[in-house]
Every structure is written in C-alpha cells, then in structure tokens.
Amino acid sequence: MSTRVVAVRADARRNRERVLEAAETVFAEQGATASTEEVARRAGVGIGTVFRHFPTKEALYEAIVVRRLSRVAEQAQPLTASADPAGALRDLFARLIDEAATKKAFADTMAVVSLDVKAAAPAVGDQLRDTIATLLDAARTAGTVRADVGLAEVMVLLAGLCLAAEHTPDPTLRESALSVVFAGLTPPS
C-alpha cells in the first residue's frame, strides 16, 4: 500500500472522529432539530465529508450511540478484576447513571428519530451485559449481593435508575437512590 493511501485513510479516520465528536456535542445541545451543517461547521469539515461518512442523520445518530456504548463497555471491563465485585458493580451503575443524567438531550433526540439502541450496537450491549453478569456472579459468590438476585432484576433496576436520572438533575438524589437499591441487593445480616 502506498504512503499516500495510508495518509488519506488516516485523514479520513481523523475526519470521521471529528464529525462524531462535533455531532455528539451539537445533538446534546440542540436535540433532533440540529442540522448536519452545524455538525460540519463545528467539526471543521465540509458537509460532503459528513455525508460521505454518514449518509443520513440516523446513521450519524447510530454511530454516536455505538461510540458512546463502546466507551462505557471498555471502561467497565477492568472492573471485573476488582477484589470488591459489589463495589465494582455499584461503580458501574454510578457511571451509567451519570451518563444517563448528563445526556438527557441526546436520549430525547434518539427517541425522536426512533433509534433502536439494541439493534444499533448488539455486540457492545452484549459486552456490557456480560460485564454486569460477571460482576453480579462474583458479588453473589462473595456473599455481598443476595443470592436470589438475578441478572434480569439487576438490569431492570439499572434501566429504572438510568431513566430516572434523565429527569433528576440533583446528583445527591441520584446517589441516594443508588444507595437504596444497593442496600436492597445486600444480603440481610
């Protein structure tokens, strides 16, 4: 492969990342009505560059979702090596809840365009679910989470906390709710 081809590909990857970064910011600020022209302007590229990488606005939303979920899944993976699996599970919940709380406008935008997150990033969702399952199993084995609590219940609790966080601007209240949930997960003494 020629040096020129490698340089063009590297430049295209950089442009794609700049577009994604700009789009994430623009859509979080302006919601579904944000224009791709504004995304291009903030990324410092032409509108043609945006559409070369993302032929539709929905494709751009989907790429942002996959990118964000990938980041969360990558950050979660090292938690499985924790000596305190219940604490690591709580840390992961807190990260996901904070993410939900700070990205409400983005979540609203995804709802407007009817983006199916599970369909957009099934592998990343599976990776995150596997990490949660690993932490839950380790915490149950360590006796720090009730043995009768399954992955389905934990996922419902997480989904509820994330949904509530989108509508709860008070971080102290979110932390308090998380503490209540984890108190309920702890085995009775």
Side-chain angles (χ1 to χ4, degrees), residues 84-87 89 129-130 132-155 182 185-187:
D84 176 13
L89 184 62
R129 178 182 287 271
D130 290 348
I132 292 168
T134 299
L135 290 171
L136 177 61
D137 288 344
R140 287 189 306 219
T141 300
T144 54
V145 168
R146 292 172 29 187
D148 63 333
V149 174
L151 181 60
E153 290 89 3
V154 168
M155 296 305 288
F182 271 81
L185 292 174
T186 303

Side-chain angles (χ1 to χ4, degrees), residues 55 66 124:
V66 171
V124 176

Side-chain angles (χ1 to χ4, degrees), residues 109-177:
T109 299
M110 289 186 338
V112 167
V113 298
S114 301
L115 179 62
D116 182 356
V117 175
K118 289 179 185 174
V124 176
D126 290 346
Q127 180 184 358
L128 195 52
R129 178 182 287 271
D130 290 348
T131 299
I132 292 168
T134 299
L135 290 171
L136 177 61
D137 288 344
R140 287 189 306 219
T141 300
T144 54
V145 168
R146 292 172 29 187
D148 63 333
V149 174
L151 181 60
E153 290 89 3
V154 168
M155 296 305 288
V156 167
L157 291 169
L158 177 59
L161 287 168
C162 287
L163 182 61
E166 292 177 9
H167 305 284
T168 308
D170 181 2
T172 305
L173 181 55
R174 291 192 305 266
E175 177 59 32
S176 177

